[in-house]
Amino acid sequence: MHSELVAPRSADPRDSQDTRESRPGSRTDSRNGAPHLDAVSLAIIEQLQEDGRRPYAAIGKAVGLSEAAVRQRVQKLLDQGVMQIVAVTDPLTVGFRRQAMVGVNVEGDVETVADALSAMSECEYVVMTAGSFDLMVEIVCEDDDHLLEVINKRIRAVPGVRSTESFVYLKLKKQTYMWGTR
Amino acid sequence: MHSELVAPRSADPRDSQDTRESRPGSRTDSRNGAPHLDAVSLAIIEQLQEDGRRPYAAIGKAVGLSEAAVRQRVQKLLDQGVMQIVAVTDPLTVGFRRQAMVGVNVEGDVETVADALSAMSECEYVVMTAGSFDLMVEIVCEDDDHLLEVINKRIRAVPGVRSTESFVYLKLKKQTYMWGTR
DNA sequence: TCAATGGCTGCGAAATCCGTAGAGTTCCGT
DNA sequence: ACGGAACTCTACGGATTTCGCAGCCATTGA
């Protein structure tokens, strides 16, 4: 259960004449409930990716819509879970000085293990993968002791975890939140 | 050059009587320029992690500060780059249906390669690591063809890239933006 | 054809944002 | 110890934004 046949949206800023067609997110047409987004909603998201607090009127001016229309669309996008507007921080600044990516190999049901790891607050990011790891997990810790405890005590203790391999972060070079825009 | 002797801030939610001490982020005391955050700023960030558009007055009421004070602190946090307030989306919804983590081994200067990969728009996340990979790179693509091109043509073509190993995402289980809070 | 639905616009009222002035602290150097 | 500089907080009025709602128009489907 993946893959879908949604028409790929044009991410080209030039074609704005097709702007006034096709409802924004009417049909939830992909099986995971993800609605298809039109160019205007994409443009709104793009605005909010630059500044999550940008006023609706300013966004409306940028995308060619009234303030109220932008407000309604944003509310719908939030309600649908298509996007969320949040503060993101640099972990180092906030007191978490050790991060690592951990590759996990599983015996038995991978999703069960994934759920168990997702329940741990130190696991920031959990994804099931194809390749030499079944799971990749990003963990965020306060110091080396904390990191050691999480990896060697908590993660390895989860039933079904066969082995792990750790990649301690030395330096974060890039991190964007520009999905859907370039 | 790493490690530092900054007094570790108390992450304990209980001690709120120390709330009115020590300037928020005066001294940029860690060598990477990251300011030390006090409990109030942490609380503000926590509020904005729940809702990036929450009004300053509401935040002030929650953390025990006036509206203007919250506004000034938020502005400073943004200016300092400690946090940013942005819209984050589900890549699948926005038309990117293939994601992968790629482990990279490098010959020569790792940072040079990291910079080159960071310049690629498909690379969402680039981090230098210790372990059997020198770099971990998360890439976001529209479809399989796009993914193949990025991995086999673009990434491998970067001078200094010795080898890569790919982990195609099957299912994203968890993704939080709650750094610094739980 | 007609009713229902969904999206957009245009208001007025309420709430929020913004700039700034003034006061209280801490931290220097003299 | 005495100023002064640098910070941060509060208070407050005006500009801006948000919010709710009524009306209009296009599309859809019976």
Side-chain angles (χ1 to χ4, degrees), chain A residues 9 52-54 84-86 88-89 111 115 118 120-121 123-126 128 130 132 138 165 168 170-171 173-176 179 182, chain B residues 52-54 84-85 88-89 94 111 115 118 120-121 123-126 128 130 132 138 165 168 170-171 173-176 179 182:
Chain A
R9 89 282 177 292
R53 276 184 166 257
R54 185 164 296 169
Q84 45 185 332
I85 300 175
V86 295
V88 296
T89 59
E111 196 144 22
D115 288 332
S118 296
M120 298 174 49
S121 65
C123 295
E124 183 73 25
Y125 196 65
V126 177
M128 299 169 60
S132 61
E138 187 187 63
E165 182 170 353
V168 174
L170 298 177
K171 182 169 191 175
K173 292 293 292 184
K174 181 184 184 183
Q175 181 175 34
T176 56
W179 292 329
R182 295 303 182 193
Chain B
R53 277 185 166 254
R54 184 163 297 169
Q84 44 185 333
I85 300 175
V88 295
T89 60
V94 195
E111 197 145 23
D115 287 333
S118 296
M120 297 174 50
S121 65
C123 295
E124 184 73 25
Y125 195 65
V126 177
M128 299 169 60
S132 61
E138 187 187 61
E165 182 169 355
V168 173
L170 298 177
K171 183 169 189 174
K173 294 292 293 184
K174 181 184 184 183
Q175 181 175 35
T176 56
W179 292 328
R182 298 303 183 193

Short mmCIF file of all heavy atoms in Angstrom, two decimals, chain A residues 9 52-54 84-86 88-89 111 115 118 120-121 123-126 128 130 132 138 165 168 170-171 173-176 179 182, chain B residues 52-54 84-85 88-89 94 111 115 118 120-121 123-126 128 130 132 138 165 168 170-171 173-176 179 182:
data_model
loop_
_atom_site.label_atom_id
_atom_site.label_comp_id
_atom_site.label_asym_id
_atom_site.label_seq_id
_atom_site.Cartn_x
_atom_site.Cartn_y
_atom_site.Cartn_z
N ARG A 9 1.78 18.11 -9.36
CA ARG A 9 1.52 19.54 -9.45
C ARG A 9 2.69 20.25 -10.11
O ARG A 9 3.82 19.87 -9.96
CB ARG A 9 1.25 20.11 -8.05
CG ARG A 9 2.45 20.58 -7.29
CD ARG A 9 3.23 19.39 -6.68
NE ARG A 9 4.42 19.83 -6.00
CZ ARG A 9 5.46 20.34 -6.62
NH1 ARG A 9 5.42 20.52 -7.89
NH2 ARG A 9 6.51 20.68 -5.96
N GLY A 52 6.23 31.76 9.22
CA GLY A 52 4.99 31.14 9.71
C GLY A 52 4.00 32.13 10.29
O GLY A 52 2.84 31.79 10.51
N ARG A 53 4.43 33.35 10.56
CA ARG A 53 3.54 34.34 11.15
C ARG A 53 3.13 35.42 10.15
O ARG A 53 2.54 36.43 10.54
CB ARG A 53 4.19 34.99 12.37
CG ARG A 53 4.00 34.16 13.64
CD ARG A 53 4.56 34.85 14.86
NE ARG A 53 4.09 34.21 16.09
CZ ARG A 53 3.14 34.71 16.85
NH1 ARG A 53 2.55 35.85 16.54
NH2 ARG A 53 2.77 34.07 17.95
N ARG A 54 3.46 35.25 8.92
CA ARG A 54 3.10 36.26 7.92
C ARG A 54 1.60 36.48 7.92
O ARG A 54 0.81 35.53 7.91
CB ARG A 54 3.59 35.81 6.55
CG ARG A 54 3.38 36.83 5.45
CD ARG A 54 4.24 36.48 4.25
NE ARG A 54 5.66 36.55 4.57
CZ ARG A 54 6.62 36.09 3.79
NH1 ARG A 54 6.34 35.56 2.64
NH2 ARG A 54 7.89 36.20 4.16
N GLN A 84 1.59 22.04 9.42
CA GLN A 84 1.45 22.63 10.73
C GLN A 84 2.43 23.79 10.83
O GLN A 84 3.47 23.79 10.17
CB GLN A 84 1.69 21.61 11.83
CG GLN A 84 2.88 20.72 11.64
CD GLN A 84 2.98 19.65 12.72
OE1 GLN A 84 2.53 19.82 13.84
NE2 GLN A 84 3.60 18.53 12.37
N ILE A 85 2.05 24.77 11.61
CA ILE A 85 2.90 25.94 11.79
C ILE A 85 3.49 25.87 13.18
O ILE A 85 2.77 25.93 14.17
CB ILE A 85 2.10 27.24 11.59
CG1 ILE A 85 1.52 27.27 10.18
CG2 ILE A 85 3.00 28.45 11.83
CD1 ILE A 85 0.62 28.46 9.92
N VAL A 86 4.80 25.70 13.25
CA VAL A 86 5.45 25.46 14.53
C VAL A 86 6.80 26.16 14.60
O VAL A 86 7.36 26.56 13.58
CB VAL A 86 5.69 23.95 14.74
CG1 VAL A 86 4.39 23.19 14.86
CG2 VAL A 86 6.54 23.39 13.61
N VAL A 88 10.65 25.72 15.21
CA VAL A 88 11.70 24.69 15.20
C VAL A 88 12.97 25.33 15.73
O VAL A 88 13.24 26.49 15.49
CB VAL A 88 11.92 24.12 13.79
CG1 VAL A 88 10.69 23.41 13.31
CG2 VAL A 88 12.33 25.20 12.83
N THR A 89 13.73 24.54 16.47
CA THR A 89 14.90 25.09 17.14
C THR A 89 16.15 24.30 16.80
O THR A 89 16.08 23.17 16.33
CB THR A 89 14.73 25.04 18.66
OG1 THR A 89 14.55 23.69 19.06
CG2 THR A 89 13.51 25.85 19.08
N GLU A 111 6.99 -3.04 12.27
CA GLU A 111 6.14 -1.92 12.67
C GLU A 111 5.92 -1.90 14.19
O GLU A 111 5.84 -0.82 14.80
CB GLU A 111 4.79 -2.00 11.94
CG GLU A 111 4.00 -0.71 11.99
CD GLU A 111 3.23 -0.47 10.69
OE1 GLU A 111 2.98 -1.46 9.98
OE2 GLU A 111 2.91 0.70 10.39
N ASP A 115 6.80 1.29 16.47
CA ASP A 115 5.87 1.94 17.40
C ASP A 115 6.49 2.09 18.78
O ASP A 115 6.34 3.12 19.43
CB ASP A 115 4.57 1.13 17.48
CG ASP A 115 3.73 1.26 16.22
OD1 ASP A 115 3.85 2.31 15.55
OD2 ASP A 115 2.98 0.33 15.90
N SER A 118 8.94 4.84 18.65
CA SER A 118 8.28 6.13 18.51
C SER A 118 7.77 6.64 19.85
O SER A 118 7.64 7.85 20.06
CB SER A 118 7.10 6.01 17.53
OG SER A 118 7.56 5.69 16.24
N MET A 120 9.31 6.56 22.56
CA MET A 120 10.40 7.13 23.36
C MET A 120 10.59 8.60 23.01
O MET A 120 10.71 8.95 21.84
CB MET A 120 11.69 6.36 23.11
CG MET A 120 11.61 4.90 23.51
SD MET A 120 13.08 3.97 23.05
CE MET A 120 14.35 5.03 23.68
N SER A 121 10.65 9.42 24.03
CA SER A 121 10.71 10.86 23.78
C SER A 121 12.03 11.26 23.13
O SER A 121 12.08 12.25 22.40
CB SER A 121 10.52 11.64 25.07
OG SER A 121 11.60 11.40 25.95
N CYS A 123 13.50 9.77 20.78
CA CYS A 123 13.48 9.47 19.36
C CYS A 123 12.71 10.56 18.63
O CYS A 123 11.50 10.66 18.74
CB CYS A 123 12.86 8.11 19.10
SG CYS A 123 13.81 6.74 19.78
N GLU A 124 13.46 11.34 17.92
CA GLU A 124 12.89 12.50 17.24
C GLU A 124 12.25 12.09 15.92
O GLU A 124 11.32 12.74 15.46
CB GLU A 124 14.03 13.48 16.98
CG GLU A 124 13.64 14.78 16.36
CD GLU A 124 12.93 15.65 17.36
OE1 GLU A 124 13.15 15.48 18.58
OE2 GLU A 124 12.15 16.49 16.92
N TYR A 125 12.73 11.02 15.35
CA TYR A 125 12.44 10.70 13.96
C TYR A 125 12.55 9.20 13.81
O TYR A 125 13.58 8.61 14.12
CB TYR A 125 13.49 11.40 13.10
CG TYR A 125 13.20 11.52 11.64
CD1 TYR A 125 12.14 12.29 11.19
CD2 TYR A 125 14.00 10.88 10.69
CE1 TYR A 125 11.88 12.42 9.83
CE2 TYR A 125 13.75 11.02 9.33
CZ TYR A 125 12.70 11.79 8.92
OH TYR A 125 12.45 11.93 7.58
N VAL A 126 11.51 8.55 13.36
CA VAL A 126 11.51 7.10 13.19
C VAL A 126 10.95 6.78 11.81
O VAL A 126 9.84 7.20 11.48
CB VAL A 126 10.65 6.40 14.27
CG1 VAL A 126 10.62 4.90 14.02
CG2 VAL A 126 11.18 6.70 15.66
N MET A 128 10.67 3.58 8.69
CA MET A 128 10.92 2.23 8.21
C MET A 128 11.56 2.33 6.84
O MET A 128 11.12 3.10 6.00
CB MET A 128 9.59 1.47 8.11
CG MET A 128 8.89 1.34 9.45
SD MET A 128 7.19 0.72 9.31
CE MET A 128 7.48 -0.88 8.55
N ALA A 130 13.92 0.42 3.44
CA ALA A 130 14.42 -0.73 2.69
C ALA A 130 15.93 -0.59 2.58
O ALA A 130 16.44 0.52 2.41
CB ALA A 130 13.80 -0.76 1.29
N SER A 132 19.89 -2.14 4.18
CA SER A 132 20.54 -2.97 5.19
C SER A 132 20.09 -2.66 6.61
O SER A 132 20.53 -3.30 7.56
CB SER A 132 22.06 -2.87 5.07
OG SER A 132 22.49 -1.55 5.27
N GLU A 138 16.41 8.75 14.56
CA GLU A 138 17.25 9.87 15.01
C GLU A 138 16.96 10.13 16.47
O GLU A 138 15.81 10.30 16.85
CB GLU A 138 16.98 11.14 14.19
CG GLU A 138 17.95 12.25 14.52
CD GLU A 138 17.59 13.57 13.85
OE1 GLU A 138 16.49 14.11 14.15
OE2 GLU A 138 18.38 14.05 13.05
N GLU A 165 23.25 0.03 14.80
CA GLU A 165 24.52 0.67 14.44
C GLU A 165 24.32 2.17 14.57
O GLU A 165 23.34 2.72 14.06
CB GLU A 165 24.92 0.30 13.00
CG GLU A 165 26.26 0.90 12.61
CD GLU A 165 26.79 0.36 11.29
OE1 GLU A 165 26.19 -0.59 10.73
OE2 GLU A 165 27.82 0.88 10.82
N VAL A 168 27.01 8.90 15.35
CA VAL A 168 26.94 10.10 16.18
C VAL A 168 27.14 11.34 15.32
O VAL A 168 28.04 11.37 14.47
CB VAL A 168 28.00 10.04 17.30
CG1 VAL A 168 28.03 11.35 18.07
CG2 VAL A 168 27.71 8.88 18.23
N LEU A 170 28.42 14.73 14.15
CA LEU A 170 29.56 15.61 14.40
C LEU A 170 29.20 17.06 14.08
O LEU A 170 29.55 17.97 14.79
CB LEU A 170 30.76 15.17 13.54
CG LEU A 170 31.28 13.77 13.83
CD1 LEU A 170 32.41 13.43 12.88
CD2 LEU A 170 31.73 13.67 15.28
N LYS A 171 28.50 17.23 12.97
CA LYS A 171 28.13 18.59 12.59
C LYS A 171 26.94 18.57 11.65
O LYS A 171 26.96 17.87 10.64
CB LYS A 171 29.32 19.29 11.91
CG LYS A 171 29.03 20.73 11.54
CD LYS A 171 30.32 21.45 11.12
CE LYS A 171 30.08 22.95 11.01
NZ LYS A 171 31.32 23.68 10.71
N LYS A 173 24.97 20.09 8.82
CA LYS A 173 25.34 21.03 7.77
C LYS A 173 24.14 21.69 7.12
O LYS A 173 24.21 22.80 6.64
CB LYS A 173 26.14 20.27 6.69
CG LYS A 173 27.49 19.80 7.14
CD LYS A 173 28.43 20.96 7.40
CE LYS A 173 28.79 21.69 6.11
NZ LYS A 173 29.79 22.76 6.38
N LYS A 174 23.04 20.98 7.07
CA LYS A 174 21.87 21.56 6.40
C LYS A 174 20.61 20.96 6.97
O LYS A 174 20.55 19.77 7.27
CB LYS A 174 21.93 21.28 4.89
CG LYS A 174 20.75 21.88 4.12
CD LYS A 174 20.79 21.49 2.65
CE LYS A 174 19.67 22.17 1.88
NZ LYS A 174 19.65 21.75 0.47
N GLN A 175 19.63 21.79 7.11
CA GLN A 175 18.33 21.33 7.57
C GLN A 175 17.29 22.32 7.09
O GLN A 175 17.25 23.45 7.55
CB GLN A 175 18.32 21.25 9.10
CG GLN A 175 17.02 20.74 9.66
CD GLN A 175 17.13 20.56 11.16
OE1 GLN A 175 17.81 21.31 11.84
NE2 GLN A 175 16.43 19.57 11.68
N THR A 176 16.46 21.90 6.17
CA THR A 176 15.47 22.83 5.63
C THR A 176 14.06 22.32 5.92
O THR A 176 13.86 21.16 6.28
CB THR A 176 15.64 22.98 4.11
OG1 THR A 176 15.57 21.69 3.52
CG2 THR A 176 16.94 23.63 3.77
N TRP A 179 9.94 21.59 2.10
CA TRP A 179 9.28 20.57 1.30
C TRP A 179 8.22 21.17 0.40
O TRP A 179 7.37 21.91 0.86
CB TRP A 179 8.59 19.56 2.21
CG TRP A 179 9.57 18.75 2.96
CD1 TRP A 179 10.83 18.39 2.59
CD2 TRP A 179 9.37 18.21 4.26
NE1 TRP A 179 11.43 17.66 3.57
CE2 TRP A 179 10.55 17.53 4.59
CE3 TRP A 179 8.30 18.21 5.15
CZ2 TRP A 179 10.69 16.87 5.80
CZ3 TRP A 179 8.45 17.56 6.34
CH2 TRP A 179 9.63 16.90 6.67
N ARG A 182 11.18 24.92 -3.82
CA ARG A 182 12.63 24.86 -4.00
C ARG A 182 13.16 26.25 -4.11
O ARG A 182 12.60 27.05 -4.80
CB ARG A 182 12.98 24.05 -5.27
CG ARG A 182 12.57 22.61 -5.17
CD ARG A 182 13.23 21.97 -3.97
NE ARG A 182 12.87 20.56 -3.88
CZ ARG A 182 13.10 19.81 -2.79
NH1 ARG A 182 13.60 20.36 -1.72
NH2 ARG A 182 12.76 18.56 -2.78
N GLY B 52 2.55 27.80 16.28
CA GLY B 52 3.46 28.87 15.86
C GLY B 52 2.79 30.21 15.71
O GLY B 52 3.47 31.23 15.63
N ARG B 53 1.46 30.24 15.69
CA ARG B 53 0.76 31.52 15.54
C ARG B 53 0.07 31.97 16.82
O ARG B 53 -0.73 32.91 16.79
CB ARG B 53 -0.28 31.42 14.41
CG ARG B 53 0.32 31.65 13.03
CD ARG B 53 -0.73 31.67 11.95
NE ARG B 53 -0.18 32.20 10.71
CZ ARG B 53 -0.45 33.41 10.24
NH1 ARG B 53 -1.27 34.19 10.89
NH2 ARG B 53 0.09 33.82 9.10
N ARG B 54 0.36 31.31 17.90
CA ARG B 54 -0.28 31.71 19.16
C ARG B 54 0.02 33.17 19.48
O ARG B 54 1.16 33.60 19.38
CB ARG B 54 0.23 30.80 20.29
CG ARG B 54 -0.45 31.05 21.62
CD ARG B 54 -0.22 29.87 22.53
NE ARG B 54 -0.83 28.64 22.00
CZ ARG B 54 -0.61 27.43 22.49
NH1 ARG B 54 0.22 27.26 23.50
NH2 ARG B 54 -1.21 26.39 21.97
N GLN B 84 13.08 29.18 14.47
CA GLN B 84 12.35 29.82 13.39
C GLN B 84 10.92 29.29 13.42
O GLN B 84 10.68 28.17 13.86
CB GLN B 84 13.01 29.56 12.04
CG GLN B 84 13.46 28.14 11.82
CD GLN B 84 14.22 27.99 10.52
OE1 GLN B 84 14.02 28.74 9.58
NE2 GLN B 84 15.09 27.00 10.46
N ILE B 85 10.01 30.13 12.98
CA ILE B 85 8.61 29.75 12.97
C ILE B 85 8.21 29.52 11.52
O ILE B 85 8.22 30.46 10.72
CB ILE B 85 7.72 30.83 13.61
CG1 ILE B 85 8.15 31.03 15.06
CG2 ILE B 85 6.26 30.42 13.54
CD1 ILE B 85 7.42 32.15 15.77
N VAL B 88 5.51 23.39 8.32
CA VAL B 88 6.10 22.13 7.89
C VAL B 88 4.99 21.27 7.31
O VAL B 88 3.86 21.30 7.77
CB VAL B 88 6.80 21.39 9.05
CG1 VAL B 88 7.97 22.19 9.55
CG2 VAL B 88 5.82 21.11 10.16
N THR B 89 5.33 20.52 6.28
CA THR B 89 4.31 19.75 5.56
C THR B 89 4.69 18.29 5.48
O THR B 89 5.84 17.92 5.69
CB THR B 89 4.15 20.29 4.13
OG1 THR B 89 5.39 20.15 3.46
CG2 THR B 89 3.72 21.74 4.14
N VAL B 94 2.51 16.91 -0.58
CA VAL B 94 2.94 18.01 -1.41
C VAL B 94 3.55 17.53 -2.71
O VAL B 94 4.08 18.29 -3.49
CB VAL B 94 3.91 18.90 -0.62
CG1 VAL B 94 4.10 20.23 -1.28
CG2 VAL B 94 3.38 19.12 0.79
N GLU B 111 33.99 17.94 4.81
CA GLU B 111 33.17 19.15 4.85
C GLU B 111 32.94 19.72 3.45
O GLU B 111 31.88 20.25 3.15
CB GLU B 111 33.82 20.19 5.76
CG GLU B 111 32.87 21.30 6.18
CD GLU B 111 33.15 21.76 7.60
OE1 GLU B 111 34.27 21.56 8.08
OE2 GLU B 111 32.23 22.32 8.23
N ASP B 115 29.30 20.37 1.88
CA ASP B 115 28.84 21.64 1.32
C ASP B 115 28.25 21.44 -0.07
O ASP B 115 27.22 22.03 -0.41
CB ASP B 115 30.01 22.64 1.26
CG ASP B 115 30.39 23.15 2.65
OD1 ASP B 115 29.50 23.17 3.51
OD2 ASP B 115 31.55 23.51 2.86
N SER B 118 24.91 19.90 0.28
CA SER B 118 23.96 20.86 0.85
C SER B 118 23.42 21.81 -0.21
O SER B 118 22.30 22.31 -0.09
CB SER B 118 24.64 21.67 1.97
OG SER B 118 25.01 20.84 3.04
N MET B 120 22.51 21.01 -3.08
CA MET B 120 21.49 20.35 -3.90
C MET B 120 20.11 20.50 -3.25
O MET B 120 19.95 20.19 -2.06
CB MET B 120 21.82 18.87 -4.07
CG MET B 120 23.14 18.64 -4.80
SD MET B 120 23.60 16.90 -4.83
CE MET B 120 22.09 16.17 -5.41
N SER B 121 19.16 20.94 -4.04
CA SER B 121 17.85 21.23 -3.46
C SER B 121 17.16 19.96 -2.96
O SER B 121 16.36 20.02 -2.04
CB SER B 121 16.97 21.94 -4.47
OG SER B 121 16.68 21.08 -5.55
N CYS B 123 18.47 17.60 -1.35
CA CYS B 123 19.00 17.18 -0.06
C CYS B 123 18.38 18.03 1.04
O CYS B 123 18.66 19.21 1.19
CB CYS B 123 20.53 17.32 -0.03
SG CYS B 123 21.36 16.21 -1.18
N GLU B 124 17.52 17.37 1.78
CA GLU B 124 16.75 18.06 2.80
C GLU B 124 17.57 18.23 4.07
O GLU B 124 17.36 19.15 4.85
CB GLU B 124 15.51 17.20 3.10
CG GLU B 124 14.54 17.80 4.07
CD GLU B 124 13.79 18.94 3.45
OE1 GLU B 124 13.66 18.98 2.21
OE2 GLU B 124 13.33 19.79 4.21
N TYR B 125 18.51 17.33 4.28
CA TYR B 125 19.16 17.17 5.57
C TYR B 125 20.54 16.62 5.32
O TYR B 125 20.70 15.56 4.69
CB TYR B 125 18.31 16.18 6.38
CG TYR B 125 18.56 16.12 7.85
CD1 TYR B 125 18.28 17.21 8.66
CD2 TYR B 125 19.04 14.97 8.45
CE1 TYR B 125 18.48 17.15 10.03
CE2 TYR B 125 19.25 14.90 9.82
CZ TYR B 125 18.97 15.99 10.60
OH TYR B 125 19.16 15.93 11.95
N VAL B 126 21.56 17.29 5.78
CA VAL B 126 22.94 16.84 5.59
C VAL B 126 23.66 16.93 6.92
O VAL B 126 23.70 17.98 7.54
CB VAL B 126 23.69 17.71 4.54
CG1 VAL B 126 25.13 17.26 4.42
CG2 VAL B 126 22.99 17.64 3.19
N MET B 128 27.27 15.52 9.17
CA MET B 128 28.53 14.79 9.24
C MET B 128 28.47 13.87 10.46
O MET B 128 28.03 14.30 11.53
CB MET B 128 29.70 15.77 9.38
CG MET B 128 29.81 16.73 8.21
SD MET B 128 30.98 18.09 8.50
CE MET B 128 32.48 17.18 8.77
N ALA B 130 30.08 10.33 12.83
CA ALA B 130 31.11 9.35 13.17
C ALA B 130 30.51 7.97 13.03
O ALA B 130 29.33 7.77 13.35
CB ALA B 130 31.59 9.58 14.60
N SER B 132 30.38 4.24 10.44
CA SER B 132 30.76 3.66 9.16
C SER B 132 30.35 4.52 7.97
O SER B 132 30.64 4.16 6.83
CB SER B 132 30.19 2.25 9.03
OG SER B 132 28.79 2.28 9.07
N GLU B 138 19.55 13.09 3.83
CA GLU B 138 18.16 12.74 3.52
C GLU B 138 17.75 13.43 2.24
O GLU B 138 17.92 14.65 2.12
CB GLU B 138 17.21 13.15 4.65
CG GLU B 138 15.81 12.64 4.43
CD GLU B 138 14.82 13.18 5.46
OE1 GLU B 138 14.64 14.42 5.53
OE2 GLU B 138 14.24 12.39 6.18
N GLU B 165 25.36 4.34 0.27
CA GLU B 165 24.42 3.27 0.55
C GLU B 165 23.07 3.90 0.83
O GLU B 165 22.97 4.85 1.61
CB GLU B 165 24.88 2.44 1.76
CG GLU B 165 23.95 1.28 2.04
CD GLU B 165 24.53 0.29 3.05
OE1 GLU B 165 25.69 0.46 3.46
OE2 GLU B 165 23.78 -0.62 3.44
N VAL B 168 15.80 3.48 1.24
CA VAL B 168 14.56 4.10 0.74
C VAL B 168 13.49 4.04 1.82
O VAL B 168 13.31 3.01 2.47
CB VAL B 168 14.08 3.38 -0.54
CG1 VAL B 168 12.71 3.90 -0.96
CG2 VAL B 168 15.08 3.55 -1.66
N LEU B 170 10.13 3.53 3.54
CA LEU B 170 8.90 2.78 3.31
C LEU B 170 7.73 3.44 4.05
O LEU B 170 6.63 3.55 3.53
CB LEU B 170 9.07 1.33 3.80
CG LEU B 170 10.16 0.53 3.10
CD1 LEU B 170 10.29 -0.84 3.73
CD2 LEU B 170 9.86 0.42 1.61
N LYS B 171 7.99 3.86 5.25
CA LYS B 171 6.91 4.49 6.02
C LYS B 171 7.50 5.35 7.12
O LYS B 171 8.33 4.90 7.91
CB LYS B 171 6.01 3.41 6.63
CG LYS B 171 4.82 3.98 7.37
CD LYS B 171 3.83 2.88 7.72
CE LYS B 171 2.54 3.49 8.26
NZ LYS B 171 1.51 2.46 8.48
N LYS B 173 7.23 6.93 10.53
CA LYS B 173 6.44 6.60 11.71
C LYS B 173 6.32 7.74 12.70
O LYS B 173 5.35 7.88 13.41
CB LYS B 173 7.05 5.38 12.42
CG LYS B 173 6.99 4.11 11.64
CD LYS B 173 5.56 3.61 11.50
CE LYS B 173 4.99 3.18 12.84
NZ LYS B 173 3.64 2.60 12.69
N LYS B 174 7.35 8.54 12.78
CA LYS B 174 7.31 9.61 13.76
C LYS B 174 8.17 10.76 13.28
O LYS B 174 9.23 10.54 12.71
CB LYS B 174 7.84 9.13 15.12
CG LYS B 174 7.81 10.20 16.21
CD LYS B 174 8.42 9.69 17.50
CE LYS B 174 8.30 10.75 18.61
NZ LYS B 174 8.93 10.31 19.86
N GLN B 175 7.70 11.93 13.53
CA GLN B 175 8.47 13.12 13.20
C GLN B 175 7.98 14.25 14.08
O GLN B 175 6.86 14.72 13.92
CB GLN B 175 8.29 13.47 11.72
CG GLN B 175 9.09 14.68 11.29
CD GLN B 175 8.96 14.90 9.80
OE1 GLN B 175 7.92 14.65 9.22
NE2 GLN B 175 10.03 15.37 9.20
N THR B 176 8.81 14.68 14.99
CA THR B 176 8.37 15.73 15.90
C THR B 176 9.24 16.95 15.73
O THR B 176 10.31 16.89 15.14
CB THR B 176 8.45 15.27 17.36
OG1 THR B 176 9.78 14.85 17.62
CG2 THR B 176 7.49 14.14 17.63
N TRP B 179 11.99 19.65 19.86
CA TRP B 179 13.31 19.75 20.48
C TRP B 179 13.27 20.66 21.68
O TRP B 179 12.79 21.77 21.62
CB TRP B 179 14.32 20.30 19.49
CG TRP B 179 14.58 19.37 18.39
CD1 TRP B 179 14.54 18.01 18.43
CD2 TRP B 179 14.90 19.72 17.03
NE1 TRP B 179 14.85 17.51 17.20
CE2 TRP B 179 15.06 18.54 16.34
CE3 TRP B 179 15.07 20.93 16.39
CZ2 TRP B 179 15.39 18.52 14.99
CZ3 TRP B 179 15.41 20.92 15.07
CH2 TRP B 179 15.56 19.72 14.38
N ARG B 182 9.37 18.05 25.89
CA ARG B 182 8.91 16.67 25.73
C ARG B 182 7.40 16.62 25.78
O ARG B 182 6.80 17.32 26.54
CB ARG B 182 9.46 15.77 26.85
CG ARG B 182 10.97 15.70 26.83
CD ARG B 182 11.47 15.20 25.49
NE ARG B 182 12.92 15.06 25.48
CZ ARG B 182 13.63 14.87 24.38
NH1 ARG B 182 13.07 14.83 23.22
NH2 ARG B 182 14.92 14.75 24.45
#
